[in-house]
Amino acid sequence: MIYFDSSALLKRYLKEDGSESVNAILLSEKTIVTSKLAYPEILSAFMRKHRAGELVGKSLRSVIDQFESDWKHFFIIEFHDDLFPTMEALIEKYPLKGADTVHLSSALWLEQTSREDVKFVASDLNLLKAAESENLHVINPV
């Protein structure tokens, strides 16, 4: 199983360093997992790019449509209370942003409940370091 945080998943829709790697991973994996938090994070990133003039007209609508189409095929981890103890422990151990804590705790919960190894894909080096310290197999697409 493979878990994508928003920073990595965004590379599927916007041409960035690591986009080719992300697309290759997505094609090779059966089950793509992310947190429900990724939905507003990715839409927000699209709108920031649009406001900055980097995504215009049909291009904006196209990436939103592609993302929403893909979203239906992802396994989505809800933001539920079972994640709170893990979030608290991660916040105490690592200097993570709140959203990064949600993604890492979701991946750890997934690994624990599924009893399968989870590959964790992210672009944020601080988050990847914390995930590696938590014994997740990490992938930096960049």
Side-chain angles (χ1 to χ4, degrees):
M1 235 181 290
I2 193 156
Y3 183 98
F4 275 81
D5 95 317
S6 300
S7 68
L9 193 54
L10 189 61
K11 293 177 184 314
R12 169 157 173 71
Y13 308 100
L14 302 176
K15 186 79 170 142
E16 299 179 348
D17 286 345
S19 290
E20 288 179 21
S21 296
V22 164
N23 287 325
I25 293 166
L26 288 168
L27 286 173
S28 69
E29 292 291 332
K30 225 177 179 180
T31 305
I32 307 300
V33 184
T34 193
S35 168
K36 197 169 215 171
L37 179 62
Y39 190 88
E41 284 187 311
I42 289 175
L43 289 179
S44 178
F46 292 161
M47 292 311 298
R48 282 192 310 274
K49 295 282 188 182
H50 175 70
R51 288 182 186 106
E54 297 173 39
L55 274 177
V56 292
K58 286 185 180 180
S59 183
L60 173 63
R61 186 73 252 159
S62 176
V63 296
I64 290 172
D65 289 347
Q66 183 182 8
F67 170 64
E68 289 181 339
S69 176
D70 288 349
W71 186 260
K72 296 172 191 171
H73 303 284
F74 297 154
F75 180 84
I76 307 301
I77 296 179
E78 297 288 334
F79 190 88
H80 51 80
D81 292 353
D82 291 350
L83 299 177
F84 289 172
T86 304
M87 284 181 200
E88 185 177 343
L90 292 172
I91 289 167
E92 289 175 8
K93 282 170 92 171
Y94 309 106
L96 295 173
K97 295 179 236 167
D100 291 344
T101 303
V102 171
H103 284 293
L104 182 52
S105 63
S106 296
L108 291 169
W109 175 87
L110 176 64
E111 187 169 73
Q112 182 182 27
T113 57
S114 71
R115 298 177 194 242
E116 291 184 36
D117 289 334
V118 172
K119 293 178 250 174
F120 186 78
V121 185
S123 296
D124 182 283
L125 296 178
N126 200 31
L127 176 56
L128 287 166
K129 185 177 177 183
E132 192 170 43
S133 293
E134 293 296 317
N135 299 315
L136 288 176
H137 174 80
V138 299
I139 301 170
N140 183 351
V142 177

